[in-house]
Amino acid sequence: MAVETLPEIPAMGPLLVRAAVTARGRHGDDVPERTLRVEDATVDRARLAAYQRITGHDVADTLPQAYPWVLASPLQTALMVRPDFPLALPGLVHLENRVTTHRLLDAADPLTLEASAGPLRAHRRGRTVGVRLTAHVAGDLVWESDSVYLGRGRGDEDTVRTGGPPDAPEGPARAVWRLPENLGRRYAAVSGDVNPIHLHPLTARALGFRRHIAHGMWTYARVLSALGRGSLGPSTSRVWFTRPVELPSTVELVARTGSDGSVAAVRPAGDRSRTSAVVVLEG
Amino acid sequence: MTTTRRAAVLGGNRIPFARQFGPYAEASNQDMLTSALEGLVARYGLAGERLGEVVAGAVIKHSRDFNLTREAVLGSSLSPDTPAYDVQQACGTGLEASILLANKIALGQADSGIAGGVDSASDAPVVVAERLRRKLLRLSRARSTADRAKALAQIRPTDIGIQVPGASEPRTGMTMGQHMAITAERWGITREAQDELALASHHRLATAYEAGFFDDLMTPYLGLTQDQNLRPGTTLDKLASLRTVFGEGEGATMTAGNSTPLSDGAATVLLGSEEWAQAHGLKPLAFFVDGETAAVDHVSGDEGLLMAPAYAVPRMLARQGLTLQDFDLYEIHEAFASTVLSTLAAWESESFCRDRLGLDAPLGSIDRDRLNVTGSSLAAGHPFAATGGRIVATLAKLLAERGSGSRGLVSVCAAGGQGVVAILEAA
Amino acid sequence: MARADGYTAFVGTPVGRRLASTLGLPRPVPLRRYEPGQPVTEGPVLVGGHGDTPALAALRGGLVAAGVDVVDEAGEDARLAGVVVDLTAAEDPADLESLRALLSPALRRLDRCARVVVVGRHPESASGVAQRAARRALEGVTRSVAKELRAGATANLVLVTEGAEAAALGTVGFLLSARSAYVDGQVVRVGGGSVPDAAVQAERPLAGTVAAVTGAARGIGAEIARTLARDGARVVCVDVPGAGAPLAAVANEVGGTALQTDVTDERAGARILEHATQRHGGLDLVVHNAGITRDKLLANTDAQRWASVLDVNLRSIVRMNETLLAPGALRAGGRVVLVSSIAGIAGNRGQSSYAASKAGVIGLVDGYAADAGLRRRRITVNAVAPGFVETEMTARIPLATREVGRRLNSLSQGGLPVDVAETVAFFAGDGQAAVTGNVVRVCGQSLLGA
């Protein structure tokens, strides 16, 4: 497996530009076996604080569970813009994610981050690819994430659906969140994910959405913070993004907490029939 | 409830104090207070514990922080069943919170609790000008589009302007420093005396750090492991080279070196009854003996803005039958070096004690070697509401080290011409 | 929570499987790890050996009492979760045939992550040359079996003194259970002096005890604190004041208390003892885990760098123990666990100061274990020696080379901090009063320094 060590975390903006201009003509069935790596990445505390604030966490030294994903996401993007990557990044849909924090992560820990992508798989609406992100501290694996993305295209109707989310909890809302129109732009500024579908109704419409939508990783992090300190780790959480959260909108958090963890869902306010995201926190 | 019992100081925790726009620039009051609570919970093994109450406050507060302390409790590892409330008495907040809680414990209304305070000079709320604020409120009340357009049209470019709350007194328009400069001049406090006090504060705080004194009083936060304002290597020459920032002309004596800087930070103190302490394996460090609050008329210029402690202390001493010299340690908050020196001068002044306090003789002088022995706000910084908690925890530990029966006096001046003072006695 | 290192998880994915089989890379199985409520073993355990001995009777009875499905012979269809071979009666190398006869067919019936535990006697106490040879032979065969086993299975040897057979039960139970996931090819000595009986560890074996763990803010120390708390101990988490923020997070997570103190401070021992005694009523267990590395070739190591490593990793332990092990300090029946390292056994280029300190730790174990005063107070002293430790230096070598380093052991995977923590918790267990003076490597039977 080829490992390329990059001198630092690449800047997201140029990568996304490259992704846009190289989107057409990507083909093939193989995902190159390649790992991109950055050693001893340091956490920028101001950026961390901005992330903690926008996702509802306390500004503190402990990293939120989904934060290393934000740190490592330029590596993932860099993987996807390589000429030999078969799917086009623009239009990829984040279907689900799983994150494990093996121990509480401190902002002072230097993180060695790695990103690699798994094989393509058939899906009803196209093909999916898995991306694995990891963080090591002094050689110990402390954090890992598996993301599944859908490249929309000619799908395989016969694909068996596997591993879907558990049923969303029923019952009254635990919290109501009013998501402002500029949430996508604000989170983009914090996370570096400036995907146009999150920024403005016009840019989102150009990519086939009715209007702009919240970042899935924002929704995920916001739910985790609402589930309390247990989400900081050591624990595993999973999220399934079932339908977009349009901006602006009002959503409800509904959650069920048991001895083995929590199941939570985000649904449009006043509409119990639809679910935008389901989060499971095992703890 | 007629009988009372003793309220014990069991320990404390604070985060290191940072300078304005320093490492805590991005942290809110709630973040800092939560973090200070987390460190206290960890030190005393209180995770999941339901305490009697948590009382704290902040001087500069966002309107969204109406339930600041309760929100901090909910974000901490304490049991969510722990009630909490906010208090605010300017720089006296932290000490007043401690007195309130100690009284509840003494009365048997609570067995345990945490008192504290927090302030951010970096994350201060920005307030729009009053005229604009009223017009915006009208805009938000407007129901129809036409009404809204009308309300919007009333906003003039000249309305736009923001006010960052400063340390100025609402009724005099003068900053605390300007007020203090007048008082310092009235008491003839020299620049040299102020610089010497500032120097002692830095050196004593640095020595205490080196001795590990704060190892069980502090938990690092956002990468800061000790008070950012501390200058262990400062000298009289360096302090003397600073230009004056308050006062005018020849009489100006106050510099950035002998005034406290704007700071960010939070401090907490754990209090409890003796029974509660014993059940939790905690040894009381000190008991709350008494507390007193005074206020003076600084608006008419009758008395200096920060001189209220000079009145509060003698009242408390009289009630307790103590003299000013009956203390092993004194903690006088260094809002400015001249505040401490003016207060001491007043107590030494025969005319002040006679005319103002109605005493036959002056309170007299104190042994300066017993004053602020591990430094105070000039070196540590002064996040307004956090200072009381810092002092109570520090003094309780110092008294415990000196041994049973040793006694300490706390004095904190506050905006609005107020002063909060208290007596602690080693357990 | 599923836990595996990056490589092990990777070869579990379709692409990883494909790649591993194409390149002939090892394909480690995810190890069975302990979770509360888990039975000692998931399947039957074959128990047999050479003759009907007191050890055999004690083992059978104790394992049955612990809910283990004990069988006398490997059945035709059932997969074995473990084999316990009693060779305490071996008099002569010829008696080793009993071991072969029992193990040889059984090895083919082992389940994933199965366990082989050989029980023998200390060679030093043999009455003749032939007996001594037979006893010593067990170590060779156990270590070879450990290397022969696949699919996460381990083999370990327990040496037990005469009369201490029942006391060995806790050790055998540990080695059979998922707690010992990464302990492979090791020898654990049980007994010496008068020893109480032991049972297989219960659900919360440390309930009611008070433990202090140094270096608890991060890494292995945090995992030890977590594991001890899970097993019921009240944990005093100790680390330097500068690490106070993560230390508080760990203490609150495990419901313990945080004590900020530098272990090299001359009052550190007194502070730990006072804190534990005042807050929690006493101290039963001390885990000296705090350690630093200042890696450099010895040729480039100056006095200051050298001293800092030895001071933190070794001299501080001696100094703290003067207080902690004084009469009336650590309670009778207490436990001391030290953290050594494979570097202290095998040596490591660029780590001479670290290796010196960690080898010194082994010397401390030997010294304390021989201390008659401590023995009288039933205080045991043991060490764990974590295996493949990636230092900053090794973290910079290319991933492939590093992976090879990681695979250089019988389990073909790196260990996790929890594996070290489980072994610490084993030493701490109530039943392990007869387990003292051991240095157990938690290394997956690493080839280094074997």
Side-chain angles (χ1 to χ4, degrees):
Chain A
M1 191 169 34
V3 179
E4 289 178 37
T5 301
L6 309 181
E8 60 185 359
I9 296 175
M12 200 66 157
L15 287 174
L16 289 171
V17 171
R18 187 144 35 115
V21 299
T22 63
R24 295 177 71 99
R26 287 188 180 268
H27 60 86
D29 298 325
D30 288 320
V31 178
E33 281 150 12
R34 173 187 291 134
T35 296
L36 296 184
R37 172 160 200 253
V38 170
E39 287 174 351
D40 296 343
T42 51
V43 171
D44 178 319
R45 287 182 184 268
R47 201 174 151 212
L48 169 64
Y51 175 90
Q52 288 167 324
R53 261 202 315 269
I54 201 171
T55 56
H57 290 86
D58 291 329
V59 174
D61 292 82
T62 309
L63 300 190
Q65 185 159 70
Y67 189 65
W69 193 97
V70 171
L71 279 179
S73 63
L75 292 181
Q76 159 182 312
T77 309
L79 267 185
M80 290 179 170
V81 301
R82 293 293 169 99
D84 51 3
F85 192 79
L87 300 180
L89 173 60
L92 273 192
V93 181
H94 198 170
L95 292 181
E96 56 177 276
N97 216 95
R98 175 197 175 95
V99 176
T100 297
T101 309
H102 291 295
R103 67 162 167 88
L104 293 170
L105 296 178
D106 189 81
D109 290 329
L111 301 174
T112 292
L113 303 168
E114 287 177 3
S116 57
L120 294 179
R121 288 171 207 220
H123 187 275
R124 288 179 302 112
R125 293 188 282 146
R127 293 183 298 177
T128 63
V129 63
V131 176
R132 181 170 171 73
L133 305 174
T134 60
H136 287 77
V137 174
D140 279 337
L141 179 76
V142 293
W143 179 92
E144 54 190 311
S145 157
D146 290 286
S147 308
V148 178
Y149 296 92
L150 170 69
R152 284 176 295 183
R154 211 170 53 199
D156 181 353
E157 283 298 333
D158 299 334
T159 313
V160 188
R161 299 180 82 163
T162 51
D167 290 339
E170 310 263 336
R174 194 186 269 199
V176 177
W177 296 326
R178 290 171 189 85
L179 313 186
E181 191 272 337
N182 66 0
L183 177 65
R185 295 191 292 280
R186 284 167 52 205
Y187 185 76
V190 170
S191 66
D193 181 355
V194 293
N195 188 333
I197 63 173
H198 303 302
L199 302 183
H200 193 273
L202 294 177
T203 55
R205 240 171 270 159
L207 290 162
F209 287 82
R210 219 158 61 94
R211 47 182 307 114
H212 60 309
I213 61 173
H215 289 77
M217 291 305 283
W218 176 85
T219 308
Y220 182 26
R222 184 68 190 86
V223 172
L224 288 176
S225 79
L227 293 178
R229 290 192 164 267
S231 77
L232 297 175
S235 56
T236 293
S237 66
R238 300 189 66 176
V239 62
W240 291 263
F241 303 111
T242 46
R243 58 185 305 133
V245 176
E246 295 191 336
L247 295 174
S249 68
T250 302
V251 296
E252 293 178 349
L253 171 74
V254 56
R256 179 176 67 224
T257 302
S259 58
D260 54 344
S262 303
V263 181
V266 173
R267 66 191 184 200
D271 182 356
R272 296 193 178 188
S273 65
R274 291 186 297 170
T275 302
S276 296
V278 179
V279 174
V280 171
L281 174 65
E282 301 161 13
Chain B
M1 193 78 56
T2 49
T3 55
T4 62
R5 54 183 179 174
R6 296 196 290 181
V9 179
L10 304 173
N13 181 60
R14 68 177 177 102
I15 56 176
F17 293 167
R19 292 177 68 104
Q20 185 183 31
F21 306 127
Y24 304 168
E26 301 292 329
S28 68
N29 279 335
Q30 190 184 314
D31 295 325
M32 290 190 287
L33 184 57
T34 306
S35 182
L37 283 174
E38 277 302 273
L40 189 76
V41 168
R43 183 162 302 135
Y44 295 100
L46 303 174
E49 190 95 20
R50 178 173 68 84
L51 300 184
E53 67 183 32
V54 179
V55 49
V59 175
I60 302 178
K61 224 165 113 169
H62 293 255
S63 55
R64 62 158 193 259
D65 286 340
F66 63 95
N67 230 346
L68 170 67
T69 311
R70 172 65 181 148
E71 290 299 326
V73 167
L74 285 171
S76 78
S77 299
L78 286 170
S79 161
D81 301 338
T82 300
Y85 62 104
D86 287 17
V87 294
Q88 203 274 67
Q89 195 171 36
C91 307
T93 302
L95 182 55
E96 192 66 82
S98 304
I99 294 171
L100 286 171
L101 176 56
N103 288 348
K104 281 202 182 187
I105 291 168
L107 287 172
Q109 294 170 353
D111 290 326
S112 65
I114 297 170
V118 56
D119 254 293
S120 171
S122 306
D123 187 40
V126 167
V127 181
V128 297
E130 181 61 16
R131 207 158 40 154
L132 178 59
R133 187 180 71 87
R134 295 202 173 277
K135 288 180 180 177
L136 288 173
L137 284 172
R138 219 170 292 151
L139 176 64
S140 75
R141 276 199 305 270
R143 286 274 166 258
S144 70
T145 313
D147 285 351
R148 230 171 290 162
K150 215 163 83 189
L152 204 57
Q154 281 176 0
I155 296 175
R156 307 260 172 271
T158 52
D159 290 339
I160 298 183
I162 53 167
Q163 302 172 336
V164 177
S168 69
E169 283 293 315
R171 286 174 187 275
T172 65
M174 289 195 290
T175 65
M176 222 171 242
Q178 288 171 315
H179 272 285
M180 194 61 232
I182 296 169
T183 310
E185 201 165 348
R186 188 183 293 173
W187 286 102
I189 308 301
T190 65
R191 165 82 183 262
E192 292 69 34
Q194 294 177 44
D195 285 352
E196 276 170 23
L197 192 84
L199 184 75
S201 189
H202 282 280
H203 286 180
R204 288 172 173 183
L205 184 67
T207 306
Y209 267 112
E210 255 168 61
F213 179 79
F214 294 108
D215 286 356
D216 58 358
L217 289 173
M218 193 179 287
T219 305
Y221 180 57
L222 303 187
L224 193 60
T225 55
Q226 61 173 240
D227 301 317
Q228 194 187 11
N229 192 54
L230 174 62
R231 300 279 177 279
T234 196
T235 62
L236 272 184
D237 286 346
K238 279 185 197 163
L239 288 166
S241 68
L242 300 171
R243 64 180 182 85
T244 55
V245 290
F246 301 112
E248 286 160 18
E250 288 291 296
T253 55
M254 292 165 61
T255 67
N258 58 39
S259 309
T260 51
L262 288 171
S263 325
D264 304 338
T268 58
V269 188
L270 177 65
L271 288 95
S273 68
E274 287 174 88
E275 302 77 48
W276 189 88
Q278 198 178 6
H280 287 75
L282 298 172
K283 210 165 70 185
L285 299 172
F287 294 108
F288 253 91
V289 176
D290 204 352
E292 173 78 20
T293 308
V296 296
D297 178 9
H298 67 286
V299 182
S300 70
D302 173 61
E303 184 53 272
L305 176 71
L306 303 180
M307 289 301 283
Y311 295 77
V313 165
R315 297 212 290 250
M316 185 170 62
L317 292 179
R319 184 160 63 227
Q320 292 292 327
L322 294 170
T323 71
L324 185 60
Q325 290 69 36
D326 287 338
F327 294 89
D328 301 273
L329 294 169
Y330 303 84
E331 284 287 336
I332 304 181
H333 159 52
E334 300 165 339
F336 302 89
S338 54
T339 319
V340 179
L341 296 168
S342 298
T343 304
L344 294 178
W347 288 336
E348 289 167 13
S349 158
E350 207 171 315
S351 60
F352 177 86
C353 291
R354 183 187 60 231
D355 301 340
R356 296 280 178 156
L357 303 178
L359 300 177
D360 300 336
L363 293 176
S365 59
I366 64 165
D367 179 355
R368 293 278 288 273
D369 288 340
R370 301 179 176 190
L371 171 67
N372 298 346
V373 296
T374 53
S376 185
S377 305
L378 285 169
H382 171 41
F384 311 123
T387 290
R390 172 185 70 75
I391 291 177
V392 170
T394 300
L395 179 60
K397 178 175 174 180
L398 286 168
L399 290 172
E401 285 179 352
R402 289 179 84 92
S404 183
S406 56
R407 202 179 285 135
L409 178 70
V410 187
S411 163
V412 178
C413 59
Q418 307 203 82
V420 190
V421 302
I423 296 172
L424 299 185
E425 195 174 283
Chain C
M1 195 186 337
R3 287 183 178 190
D5 67 64
Y7 178 86
T8 304
F10 174 72
V11 296
T13 65
V15 67
R17 255 199 304 277
R18 198 176 60 195
L19 190 69
S21 66
T22 317
L23 300 180
L25 294 175
R27 280 171 52 191
V29 300
L31 300 182
R32 176 178 179 246
R33 288 193 166 87
Y34 177 74
E35 278 168 26
Q38 195 183 56
V40 179
T41 60
E42 301 283 359
V45 174
L46 173 65
V47 182
H50 186 71
D52 270 333
T53 66
L56 194 64
L59 287 169
R60 281 213 172 105
L63 290 176
V64 168
V68 175
D69 176 14
V70 173
V71 296
D72 293 335
E73 52 189 43
E76 279 305 304
D77 4 86
R79 288 259 158 208
L80 290 171
V83 185
V84 178
V85 195
D86 166 36
L87 262 292
T88 51
E91 295 286 338
D92 184 277
D95 297 340
L96 295 169
E97 163 57 19
S98 301
L99 177 143
R100 190 213 59 80
L102 186 75
L103 266 187
S104 179
L107 290 185
R108 285 190 294 271
R109 319 215 73 86
L110 291 184
D111 207 348
R112 274 157 71 109
C113 299
R115 298 284 188 262
V116 172
V117 181
V118 179
V119 181
R121 296 262 188 241
H122 296 85
E124 307 87 83
S125 63
S127 54
V129 174
Q131 192 183 40
R132 184 156 187 161
R135 291 180 174 187
R136 192 68 179 76
L138 295 179
E139 197 174 314
V141 69
T142 306
R143 291 201 160 143
S144 302
V145 168
K147 292 184 180 184
E148 182 177 333
L149 291 174
R150 289 287 170 266
T154 65
N156 292 286
L157 173 62
V158 179
L159 296 180
V160 51
T161 53
E162 215 146 332
E165 290 80 8
L169 203 55
T171 305
V172 173
F174 167 70
L175 293 171
L176 282 176
S177 77
R179 291 176 193 260
S180 64
Y182 204 60
V183 177
D184 196 11
Q186 297 302 296
V187 182
V188 183
R189 292 162 172 265
V190 182
S194 76
V195 287
D197 291 359
V200 176
Q201 282 201 354
E203 184 75 347
R204 281 166 64 83
L206 302 180
T209 66
V210 180
V213 180
T214 66
R218 295 195 168 98
I220 288 176
E223 200 63 46
I224 292 171
R226 205 168 279 138
T227 304
L228 297 177
R230 180 204 65 194
D231 281 355
R234 201 69 207 272
V235 184
V236 178
C237 304
V238 183
D239 215 311
V240 290
L247 182 70
V250 170
N252 287 338
E253 185 209 325
V254 306
T257 52
L259 174 62
Q260 299 184 155
T261 191
D262 190 327
V263 292
T264 62
D265 188 304
E266 58 183 30
R267 288 167 298 172
R271 285 205 188 109
I272 292 170
L273 183 64
E274 190 194 316
H275 181 107
T277 308
Q278 198 198 95
R279 303 287 186 75
H280 311 299
L283 184 61
D284 303 284
L285 164 65
V286 182
V287 184
H288 292 291
N289 163 74
I292 58 169
T293 53
R294 293 284 180 274
D295 297 350
K296 238 184 185 12
L297 296 177
L298 186 60
N300 304 326
T301 300
D302 61 24
Q304 196 253 330
R305 201 171 252 275
W306 177 261
S308 65
V309 173
L310 282 153
D311 204 31
V312 174
N313 297 4
L314 189 57
R315 295 181 59 215
S316 74
I317 301 176
V318 179
R319 209 159 33 225
M320 284 187 281
N321 281 354
E322 279 170 17
T323 307
L324 296 172
L325 301 185
L330 193 69
R331 283 196 280 232
R335 304 276 188 274
V336 180
V337 183
L338 288 75
V339 178
S340 179
S341 164
I342 204 160
I345 297 167
N348 198 13
R349 185 172 189 272
Q351 286 201 309
S352 41
S353 59
Y354 184 73
S357 69
K358 292 302 181 181
V361 162
I362 297 172
L364 287 184
V365 171
D366 295 342
Y368 288 128
D371 185 308
L374 293 180
R375 283 197 169 239
R376 259 197 309 280
R377 288 156 59 205
R378 292 179 286 111
I379 290 172
T380 69
V381 184
N382 295 282
V384 286
F388 192 70
V389 180
E390 292 183 43
T391 64
E392 272 184 45
M393 256 172 53
T394 54
R396 286 189 199 294
I397 64 179
L399 183 74
T401 319
R402 207 153 44 93
E403 283 298 340
V404 169
R406 221 182 226 168
R407 307 297 141 208
L408 281 178
N409 64 60
S410 299
L411 296 171
S412 304
Q413 56 191 293
L416 296 175
V418 70
D419 298 323
V420 179
E422 292 286 8
T423 303
V424 171
F426 155 68
F427 285 135
D430 192 36
Q432 270 52 262
V435 179
T436 191
N438 284 282
V439 178
V440 168
R441 291 168 45 165
V442 184
C443 62
Q445 199 180 26
S446 169
L447 298 182
L448 302 170

